[in-house]
Amino acid sequence: GQPAAPAPAPAPASPPAQESENNDADQPGVASIAIAARAGAMADALKAVAAQYTQETGIDVQVNDMPYDNLKETIVLDVRNNSGAYDLVMMDDPWMPEFGQANLLANLDDYFTEGVDPDFVPTTINLSREPYGTGSLYALPLIGNVQMFFYREDLIEKYDLTPPENWDDVLAIAEVITREEPDTFGYALRGQRGNPIVSNYMPLFWAYGGRVLDENGVPQVNSEAGVKAMETYMKLKDLGPVGVEAFDSDQIATALTQGQAAMLVAWPSWVAMVDNEEDSLVAGKVAFAAVPGQVNESAAMIGNWLLGVPRTSSKIEAAVDFMKWVTSAEVQKEMAMIGGGVPTRRSVYQDPELIEKYRHYPAQLEALERSVARPRTPYWSQIEDVWGMYLSQILAGQVEIQEGLDRANEEIKNMLP
Amino acid sequence: MSITRFEENRLHQVESKWKIIGNRGLFAGIMAFIVVWSLFPVYWMANNSLKGRLEQFSSIPTFYPHAPTLENYHRLFQEMGFLGTIGNSAMVAFVSSVLAVAFGSLAAYALSRYQFKGKQVLLAWILLTRIFPPVAFVIPLYSIMGNVGLLNTRIALILAYIVFNLPFAIWMLIGFFSEIPIEIEHSAQVDGASPFQVFRQIVLPLVAPGLAATAIFSFVMSWNEFMYAMIFIQSPDLVTVPVALSGLVTEYLVLWGPMSAGGILSTIPILVFVIFLQDYLIKGLTLGAVKG
Amino acid sequence: MTWIFLTPTVVLFLLLTVYPLFYAAYTSFFRVDYILDQSTFVGIQNYQRIIRDMNFWNAVKNTLIFVVSAVLFELVLGTAFAIFFNKEMKYRKLFRTIVLIPMLLPPITVALTWKMMYAYDQGVLNYLLEVIGLGRIEWLSSTTWALTAIIITDIWQWTPFVFLMVLASLQAIPESLYQSARVSGATSWQCFRYITLPLLKPTLTLALLLRTIDTFRVFDKMYVLTGGGPGNATETITFYIYRYGFRYFHTGYAAAGSIIMVIMVCGVSFLYIRRAFRTANAK
Amino acid sequence: MKITMKEVTMKFNDVTALDQLSVDFEPGNLISLLGPSGCGKSTTLFLLAGLHQPTAGEIYFGSQLMNQVRPENRGIGMVFQNYALYPHMTVQENIEFPLKIKKAPEKERARRAMDMAELVKIGELLKRKPRQLSGGQQQRVAIARALAGSPKLLLLDEPLSNLDARLRLETREEIRRIQRETGVTTIFVTHDQEEAMSISDKILIMNAGHQQQFCPPQEMYEKPANAFVAAFLGNPPINLMEAVCTDAGMPGIRLHTMEHAVPLTDVFREALPTGQRCQAGIRPEDWFVTNDTAHTAFTGKVIHKETIGRDTLIRIERDGVFVRALVQPQANILLGDSISLGVQSGKMKLFHIDTGKAYA
Amino acid sequence: MKITMKEVTMKFNDVTALDQLSVDFEPGNLISLLGPSGCGKSTTLFLLAGLHQPTAGEIYFGSQLMNQVRPENRGIGMVFQNYALYPHMTVQENIEFPLKIKKAPEKERARRAMDMAELVKIGELLKRKPRQLSGGQQQRVAIARALAGSPKLLLLDEPLSNLDARLRLETREEIRRIQRETGVTTIFVTHDQEEAMSISDKILIMNAGHQQQFCPPQEMYEKPANAFVAAFLGNPPINLMEAVCTDAGMPGIRLHTMEHAVPLTDVFREALPTGQRCQAGIRPEDWFVTNDTAHTAFTGKVIHKETIGRDTLIRIERDGVFVRALVQPQANILLGDSISLGVQSGKMKLFHIDTGKAYA
Ligand SMILES: Nc1ncnc2c1ncn2[C@@H]1O[C@H](COP(=O)(O)OP(=O)(O)OP(=O)(O)O)[C@@H](O)[C@H]1O
Ligand SMILES: Nc1ncnc2c1ncn2[C@@H]1O[C@H](COP(=O)(O)OP(=O)(O)OP(=O)(O)O)[C@@H](O)[C@H]1O
Ligand SMILES: [Mg+2]
Ligand SMILES: [Mg+2]
């Protein structure tokens, strides 16, 4: 039989039309909508603009911000228990296939009968569809994150080097800087197990030509590319500060802003902090570029935050209204100005006022346009977790590279249906 | 006060002046160790809460803020409405620990004094609920709360914390109750006190130190509980301290400054609670009441 | 009469723990994907898979190391502190409060503060070690030290727990027993050894039990300090369960893990659970 | 209120503290429980109070079966052997407690507490906590508390053991007075036989959980039911020696190691044929110093002499048989003297050689 | 070991439990502390044991000042008034404890524990825990424990208060025997004067923290230093009445409410001029019934009569003055009779009317 479901069995995916009917009935009475958000600058920015929305429409917007893991728990529990507590949820883009297949989200096609505004960078909209790129729309991209390569321009100049084109260059430069520059290491990586190390390692993995899953969905993390990428990664570790095995974003950010690390892969939202004299010793000394390639072209990893509507929300219409409003060019610009937003619209990247403020915008738009998404599989969370654990083991020297990757691959294989 | 008086006497009783000085030195040394051990991380937190991010990570740590700033506190209050958050926590923790201790002491008393059918089962069950990892409870509890419409209310948290603290309170208090000389209870019974009166007027005052300790534990656990608070509460104006603080672990950065400030601030109400209950911790009451 | 005392507890427990416990036990026999809302009965397959999983046994090993060392130190230190502070002294209340403070801080802040202090380059601990002429330690990033670092943090935070329990029960020891022992010629140490310790035994047993149970469930410190890493050097059973339960939402598998863990805790603490039951039945 | 115990047995695991005790306490009586340490006195009180449940047997108050009645509903005042004061309450609160439970108005409580405290002379200690009191003071608080609630049955477990002679005397007289006035049935455990003798209507003597004798004090002193009771009562204790019935001309009894007999009263004659061995009991005060061999029951050497207040106690030995005798201080007896003692007529008690049961 | 207390004062906050006590206990003596409840007996023992620190004054063992010496280094055996048994240890472990502390070999410990237990007749209880014992049994464990450690100074705080007369007698004789054999200086608190009289070398009587008299027992009984001591010792207590010196022909003393005087011994003559008022103390046993008016000191009506064991106690009243007298049971006195009593020669004690100090 079936296990005792924690709540009365959720009704099968109800057609959107039906839902909108319900919602139409509710519509006039909507006094507030609740958003589950990833804590951080973007949630803060969201809160800031939400106040404005309330002023305009009278609808109260409650933004509940929470850490990464809890956000996912919260969304799943909310929908699976039909509690309807949230009307909008922020999602990391790799969750999309999982959420889409699990029917957690409301299909938004009906609300975008004319299609989505082409101003959105296509790669970001692709993420919002399920299946990827081609399917129905389940979300809108709120934060257009993409990985970028940060490097200390001043040091490159000081030692007469050229900015790196590929990972071999990175290694070479890192070596020089580590050797020559007191108290500064060449490269800082994120070594903490799970999402941090995977996000940080994947650019290399792709650059060396690796693929997580092949056409048949068979895992390939122990491919030769994977091994080579890992070898480079290990070398980079040795050219970094001690203790990177435990580093996450916060630590590499600290390393960079304290002038301890010369190069790293990071998210664009850092730029504001890096260039802020109060937080950073290296303000103005850092340059931003697309992530280096190797065998392959530069492959920046896209890491968008999407905004979707849980299927169980009773205020879908109002939610969609807010969604449209908050992803509009004006609001995106405003959020960008506050410092929490990373635009997903071309027009915003090209806004002169913003370029004035954020010198990396052109580079970022380019990276975004050329970005690569993580594998579109509902099992991504698990793959990432397992893979990340073995990568971390390798990094910490618990196992050899090949053996660790083999085990990771084996385990990922077992995990997939 | 058990060895209390001896220890105090010891200072008078040692044979020579040098030994006095030696003892004092040892005493002060141990004391210093304990204080440093307990307070250093807290001091460090306070220290960081008054620094800007740059100074927090300067490669030679600064032992006091060279450029002190109240910015972190300001942010906490201004942007996060931390006062309300503390209020939420205080309310939830207070109500749930009072109820947990109240229910717990009743149950523990019955369990420690009476024999009845099913006692072993009940004891085992109580312990079992404590052993289970809370992660295993989240899903079913969430669905219960959802079904009775308690999600996003303080009541949900209070209920969850009572359940969460009860096993602990019961086991603690059973221990304390069994230390009371039964003669005193007998005496009260003979004086005409009903079981409830015995409990209220004799037993409870006698286990005051135990009650205080248990209440402190329950309060602390409720105050600091994260997982249920995270999941059960959706409105920002109902969140508790740990949840609010966890919001400072952002995707790219940990906001160390406000985090430290929040840590420091959030201990204040709980400290008040503890200091208030400390008085009950002090008295050893069974002395001289019963022979043998 | 008895039932009047027990009613509130029993009612609450019936309402709020019976269902979750049975739910967990029940789902452990299913392969569940909670997100996809799929579940199939698989018998004891989940258990079999867990038992065959090397990572699980690694988590068990870490957990046991963690439990044994943390609980041991907490008991010893907590008892020592309690005895030290169970006497008249100036500002006793103040000092006692100071000892309690670590326990009062939100675990997340505690973990993060220690994380800062453990940092290899900017951390104050390494700085101090260097100042006194010892080398820096890779507190969180080396597989050998990471667990130790977490253990230290846990000891720091939960020693006050034992302190408080012991302190409260020290109050119940009649002074006349010490007087009698002193007169018999017992030194302070002997008083402690022969009077205090045996009389504290029920309390210490209980503290041992409760701390064991709680450290077995430890999660937040690993989560914040190391994320279970480096590698799987600090992955504990709860962390393992958490991964399956909330990262993958394989709730059946996680439930099976929980049940195995409960059985293990019962096994490990069998002796003192029995003793605790006896205390409960004493009168 | 009449108290009846019917074949009450109390076992603690394998220890039988009370064995089939059957006894009726008359209403309004003050009954003393006497017996060696560990004989079951406290246990009896605990059973009456309802604090222990008898292993077997029944307890009635009046005609009501009490076995199932809870202690708090029995209307009892009790002084515990170990006081069992409430350590967290002041003396006054301790004394008031039974009244507080009965919800007596506060003023009345305070007044009564004061009265009771005065009675046992601790009026000035009302504000102290038990641990600030001396042993005797604690005991007096316990007495005041037991009396305060105007109980229907008063159970006192060695309530005076830590008081000095004078206070003891005064307190027991007060207790007796209150008991008489209120007519409350009172059971009084004491190890002090003099106390038991002087205040009780009846005494119950127990040994190893068994009832030995239950009767008015003087009767018990004069007609002990068995050798145990005889030996137990009296201070210095009775001399118990082997003896044998003789019939040299007239019925007589000859003490062990002695050559000739003293006349035997008729009452014993029937039960004791000539040649029958028995135990003879002679109280120290029932001897008299004599030179007349016709009266001499025992002759021996004085090996010990002590003066206790107004009396002189001597010990005399002959062939390993020892005898205690109280003599007038005036009698000029020296250590080492050989003297002869006679028994005052009718004072010799005789008991069965094996069972110890009294003859006649 | 000689024990010296020099002006020792002990205060508990505002309560003065002991006031400038100065006393020498001779080595090898057994000294009894007597006094009303709360007079400071336990406090004295606690000070000697080092468990309390004197507020003022000095304590010497031999010639060594002990004030700074910790209890465990004083070599003491002590029985606490409340026993203070270790609840977590069996009887045997309790008794062995002092030896265990001294690291005596296990065998020897067990043997000695057994010996001590046998001494106080609890040999069969060795395996029990204190709470499974009766009050008297607990007390005996405490005695055994105090003796087990072969102390240099033995402090016994009412060690026999919960024992029955026989056991009490036996135990105190055992204690006395051991004390004699080992020569250990022993201080024995008791409320039982008879006990104190019979076993002590000297008695120290205290009242409200003040020393009253310190001398051998018989002397104390016969020559009480003051009215308090006189009243305290003796059971039934001494009769204290106002009296006045007369000189009708020869020196005499006339009791209050009486018309004529009895002759006064010469010893008092000097201190007591004619007309001087004083307190006269006459022990109940020092009266004799008389018809001779020349001897009559007191005449009155018998208002009470009770028989205590071998004596008859009567109370006589006249104009509100009460007198207790012990008379021969043979004397056929009935309630309501009017009788006259004389005082045995030399037995009348006289005390200062205000201070109570004895004359002569
Ligand atoms: N801790 C204390 N605080 C205040 N007063 C105390 C304390 N201990 C004893 N006292 C008082 O000191 C006086 C002497 O007490 P102590 O115990 O020496 O009396 P005691 O002679 O042993 O009497 P008892 O025969 O009743 O045991 C008493 O009045 C008592 O109330
Ligand atoms: N809880 C118990 N477990 C085992 N035996 C017990 C328990 N309580 C009492 N006894 C035993 O029962 C017997 C009677 O005890 P009880 O207390 O009635 O004696 P008692 O007559 O009051 O003696 P005492 O005069 O010494 O107080 C004793 O031998 C005692 O050891
Ligand atoms: Mg008893
Ligand atoms: Mg005393």
Side-chain angles (χ1 to χ4, degrees), chain A residues 1 3 69 73 80 193 385 392, chain C residues 30 35 39 223 231 235 248:
Chain A
D69 281 322
E73 281 162 41
R80 276 287 158 254
R193 93 178 239 194
D385 199 60
S392 163
Chain C
F30 289 81
I35 300 188
S39 74
Y223 185 75
E235 177 161 290
Y248 319 161

Side-chain angles (χ1 to χ4, degrees), chain E residues 215-235:
Chain E
C215 66
Q218 207 54 36
E219 184 183 332
M220 191 171 276
Y221 191 78
E222 281 159 14
K223 292 187 190 156
N226 56 35
F228 174 82
V229 174
F232 194 80
L233 283 190
N235 183 17

Side-chain angles (χ1 to χ4, degrees), chain C residues 41-241:
Chain C
F41 180 76
V42 292
I44 57 166
Q45 224 181 65
N46 285 330
Y47 293 92
Q48 289 170 330
R49 273 179 61 206
I50 291 181
I51 286 174
R52 280 198 226 107
D53 185 356
M54 262 169 45
N55 287 318
F56 176 73
W57 290 109
N58 171 67
V60 170
K61 185 194 78 186
N62 288 338
T63 307
L64 287 180
I65 294 175
F66 180 80
V67 167
V68 170
S69 29
V71 171
L72 191 76
F73 277 99
E74 283 161 20
L75 277 183
V76 171
L77 272 181
T79 309
F81 288 5
I83 286 164
F84 188 76
F85 282 106
N86 184 38
K87 63 170 116 171
E88 301 295 342
M89 60 172 73
K90 261 191 202 161
Y91 312 120
R92 163 157 87 165
K93 207 165 150 179
L94 174 74
F95 283 123
R96 270 207 306 226
T97 312
I98 286 176
V99 177
L100 288 181
I101 285 179
M103 189 179 76
L104 311 183
L105 295 163
I108 184 168
T109 1
V110 167
L112 284 169
T113 300
W114 279 87
K115 191 169 183 170
M116 268 186 108
M117 301 201 309
Y118 281 138
Y120 185 86
D121 281 317
Q122 305 98 353
V124 67
L125 291 182
N126 275 347
Y127 174 78
L128 291 175
L129 283 178
E130 205 156 60
V131 167
I132 60 171
L134 299 171
R136 288 177 179 252
I137 291 176
E138 282 194 52
W139 288 107
L140 297 176
S141 52
S142 90
T143 45
T144 40
W145 277 101
L147 196 56
T148 312
I150 294 173
I151 289 171
I152 291 175
T153 311
D154 197 74
I155 293 171
W156 180 76
Q157 188 167 24
W158 292 113
T159 292
F161 177 94
V162 180
F163 166 77
L164 198 54
M165 271 186 84
V166 173
L167 189 67
S169 72
L170 275 178
Q171 303 294 327
I173 303 179
E175 187 178 358
S176 61
L177 298 187
Y178 291 103
Q179 296 178 327
S180 169
R182 290 307 278 260
V183 162
S184 298
T187 58
S188 308
W189 163 248
Q190 285 170 318
C191 281
F192 173 73
R193 169 71 188 73
Y194 296 119
I195 309 293
T196 314
L197 209 53
L199 287 172
L200 282 183
K201 207 154 114 193
T203 306
L204 290 176
T205 312
L206 187 62
L208 189 65
L209 178 68
L210 291 174
R211 279 315 296 152
T212 305
I213 288 176
D214 282 0
T215 38
F216 241 98
R217 310 191 305 181
V218 73
F219 169 70
D220 47 0
K221 298 219 162 55
M222 280 67 188
Y223 185 75
V224 174
L225 283 171
T226 60
N232 53 12
T234 57
E235 177 161 290
T236 55
I237 303 179
T238 320
F239 199 96
Y240 182 89
I241 295 172

Side-chain angles (χ1 to χ4, degrees), chain A residues 60-396:
Chain A
D60 190 28
V61 181
Q62 298 211 318
V63 180
N64 202 7
D65 46 353
M66 52 194 86
Y68 187 83
D69 281 322
N70 300 113
L71 181 58
K72 192 175 172 195
E73 281 162 41
T74 305
I75 298 169
V76 173
L77 283 174
D78 177 46
V79 178
R80 276 287 158 254
N81 284 290
N82 262 339
S83 60
Y86 290 105
D87 305 302
L88 281 167
V89 292
M90 267 173 76
M91 299 172 292
D92 196 7
D93 75 62
W95 301 348
M96 196 59 208
E98 198 173 6
F99 282 15
Q101 288 192 12
N103 192 28
L104 296 184
L105 300 172
N107 186 324
L108 301 180
D109 282 347
D110 286 0
Y111 302 93
F112 293 87
T113 36
E114 289 104 81
V116 185
D117 190 341
D119 189 26
F120 283 109
V121 179
T123 44
T124 65
I125 288 297
N126 285 345
L127 295 174
S128 309
R129 296 186 180 276
E130 172 57 33
Y132 179 74
T134 58
S136 295
L137 189 73
Y138 283 94
L140 281 186
L142 178 67
I143 306 286
N145 259 342
V146 61
Q147 282 185 337
M148 293 181 73
F149 192 76
F150 288 39
Y151 62 91
R152 287 278 296 279
E153 220 167 4
D154 59 325
L155 293 180
I156 300 261
E157 275 164 24
K158 182 173 171 190
Y159 294 105
D160 264 346
L161 303 163
T162 45
E165 298 275 303
N166 58 32
W167 287 102
D168 288 340
D169 295 348
V170 175
L171 271 179
I173 296 169
E175 233 161 89
V176 174
I177 292 180
T178 307
R179 195 175 57 234
E180 304 290 336
E181 182 73 11
D183 296 332
T184 300
F185 296 93
Y187 187 85
L189 53 78
R190 285 159 78 193
Q192 190 174 344
R193 93 178 239 194
N195 172 285
I197 193 170
V198 173
S199 317
N200 204 244
Y201 164 78
M202 273 191 68
L204 277 85
F205 181 70
W206 278 332
Y208 279 90
R211 291 181 67 183
V212 181
L213 303 173
D214 66 10
E215 308 75 36
N216 306 320
V218 178
Q220 300 285 325
V221 299
N222 61 342
S223 62
E224 203 188 321
V227 175
K228 282 214 174 112
M230 198 60 205
E231 278 163 6
T232 305
Y233 203 59
M234 293 292 279
K235 284 182 197 148
L236 288 172
K237 170 192 143 186
D238 294 333
L239 296 169
V242 184
V244 290
E245 291 90 338
F247 274 24
D248 192 4
S249 309
D250 184 68
Q251 285 79 18
I252 58 170
T254 304
L256 181 70
T257 51
Q258 294 285 335
Q260 283 182 327
M263 295 180 285
L264 43 77
V265 167
W267 301 104
S269 19
W270 289 18
V271 176
M273 174 191 64
V274 173
D275 277 351
N276 180 346
E277 306 245 340
E278 272 181 34
D279 287 338
S280 166
L281 293 174
V282 295
K285 297 177 183 169
V286 179
F288 316 98
V291 175
Q294 184 74 24
V295 182
N296 277 353
E297 273 286 275
S298 153
M301 184 171 101
I302 192 166
N304 276 11
W305 282 94
L306 312 175
L307 203 54
V309 182
R311 181 172 51 72
T312 49
S313 164
S314 57
K315 307 165 186 170
I316 298 189
E317 199 124 314
V320 172
D321 280 346
F322 179 78
M323 196 156 111
K324 286 179 176 168
W325 179 83
V326 81
T327 53
S328 67
E330 304 83 72
V331 180
Q332 282 206 0
K333 178 175 173 187
E334 204 164 313
M335 283 174 70
M337 293 299 285
I338 298 170
V342 180
T344 52
R345 287 168 175 271
R346 289 200 182 100
S347 62
V348 183
Y349 279 109
Q350 289 154 353
D351 186 294
E353 201 183 339
L354 283 172
I355 296 179
E356 173 74 13
K357 188 167 161 119
Y358 300 116
R359 58 194 170 92
H360 64 286
Y361 263 28
Q364 186 174 345
L365 178 58
E366 194 198 330
L368 194 59
E369 302 266 16
R370 286 167 45 193
S371 65
V372 179
R374 278 163 281 187
R376 296 289 104 184
T377 157
Y379 299 98
W380 175 249
S381 296
Q382 297 168 55
I383 293 174
E384 179 185 77
D385 199 60
V386 172
W387 195 13
M389 184 181 82
Y390 285 103
L391 291 179
S392 163
Q393 284 196 17
I394 297 169
L395 194 69

Side-chain angles (χ1 to χ4, degrees), chain E residues 29-277:
Chain E
N29 266 5
L30 189 155
I31 286 109
S32 288
L33 281 187
L34 262 183
S37 171
C39 70
K41 304 181 294 289
S42 301
T43 305
T44 308
L45 294 201
F46 271 62
L47 285 165
L48 290 174
L51 294 169
H52 287 341
Q53 283 298 309
T55 315
E58 285 153 14
I59 293 171
Y60 295 89
F61 284 10
S63 60
Q64 197 195 346
L65 179 64
M66 298 302 280
N67 289 36
Q68 301 302 319
V69 179
R70 300 157 55 101
E72 65 265 32
N73 301 327
R74 295 191 180 196
I76 286 169
M78 184 159 176
V79 171
F80 289 79
Q81 193 165 10
N82 62 7
Y83 323 148
L85 300 182
Y86 309 123
H88 56 295
M89 301 183 189
T90 61
V91 168
Q92 170 159 13
E93 287 163 345
N94 263 283
I95 301 176
E96 281 183 6
F97 187 76
L99 297 164
K100 192 164 166 190
I101 290 301
K102 289 187 190 141
K103 307 216 172 13
E106 207 166 314
K107 274 227 186 89
E108 192 198 311
R109 258 155 45 191
R111 200 183 40 68
R112 184 140 177 98
M114 193 64 207
D115 286 357
M116 291 299 119
E118 293 289 355
L119 204 72
V120 290
K121 309 218 158 41
I122 46 168
E124 75 287 0
L125 305 178
L126 284 178
K127 294 288 162 248
R128 292 216 206 148
K129 290 276 175 76
R131 82 190 123 83
Q132 296 175 312
L133 300 180
S134 78
Q137 288 163 342
Q138 290 184 26
Q139 200 165 36
R140 286 180 271 163
V141 177
I143 296 171
R145 183 177 64 184
L147 294 173
S150 313
K152 287 185 297 173
L153 171 63
L154 197 55
L155 303 174
L156 307 169
D157 199 349
E158 310 229 358
L160 311 174
S161 63
N162 278 291
L163 304 187
D164 59 279
R166 174 118 72 112
L167 194 56
R168 197 176 169 105
L169 195 77
E170 287 172 10
T171 313
R172 88 185 182 209
E173 277 171 9
E174 281 298 340
I175 291 176
R176 181 59 164 162
R177 184 181 60 73
I178 295 173
Q179 191 268 334
R180 282 255 168 81
E181 273 172 21
T182 59
V184 55
T185 312
T186 301
I187 307 192
F188 188 101
V189 171
T190 175
H191 59 266
D192 181 339
Q193 19 171 305
E194 211 170 297
E195 195 160 272
M197 301 286 273
S198 66
I199 64 165
S200 350
D201 293 308
K202 276 184 162 187
I203 294 180
L204 171 61
I205 287 214
M206 314 210 309
N207 186 26
H210 293 272
Q211 170 178 354
Q212 299 295 320
Q213 188 167 6
F214 181 48
C215 66
Q218 207 54 36
E219 184 183 332
M220 191 171 276
Y221 191 78
E222 281 159 14
K223 292 187 190 156
N226 56 35
F228 174 82
V229 174
F232 194 80
L233 283 190
N235 183 17
I238 199 168
N239 299 287
L240 279 177
M241 329 175 231
E242 217 183 295
V244 65
C245 281
T246 61
D247 202 355
M250 60 159 193
I253 189 141
R254 182 168 58 73
L255 296 178
H256 191 55
T257 77
M258 295 305 299
E259 291 87 38
H260 66 264
V262 287
L264 189 58
T265 359
D266 283 347
V267 280
F268 296 120
R269 199 58 264 205
E270 255 165 69
L272 288 160
T274 306
Q276 171 75 47
R277 280 161 63 246

Side-chain angles (χ1 to χ4, degrees), chain E residues 281-298:
Chain E
I282 302 141
R283 296 209 180 274
E285 69 269 26
D286 291 340
W287 298 107
F288 57 90
V289 182
T290 183
N291 295 322
D292 185 348
T293 45
H295 291 139
T296 300
F298 190 86

Side-chain angles (χ1 to χ4, degrees), chain C residues 2-59:
Chain C
T2 316
W3 288 104
I4 296 179
F5 284 91
L6 287 172
T7 306
T9 299
V10 171
V11 166
L12 259 175
F13 269 59
L14 281 177
L15 287 182
L16 291 175
T17 70
V18 173
Y19 172 64
L21 276 171
F22 282 113
Y23 174 83
Y26 184 74
T27 39
S28 73
F29 297 107
F30 289 81
R31 184 185 170 110
V32 184
D33 186 321
Y34 195 68
I35 300 188
L36 297 178
D37 199 23
Q38 296 166 341
S39 74
T40 13
F41 180 76
V42 292
I44 57 166
Q45 224 181 65
N46 285 330
Y47 293 92
Q48 289 170 330
R49 273 179 61 206
I50 291 181
I51 286 174
R52 280 198 226 107
D53 185 356
M54 262 169 45
N55 287 318
F56 176 73
W57 290 109
N58 171 67

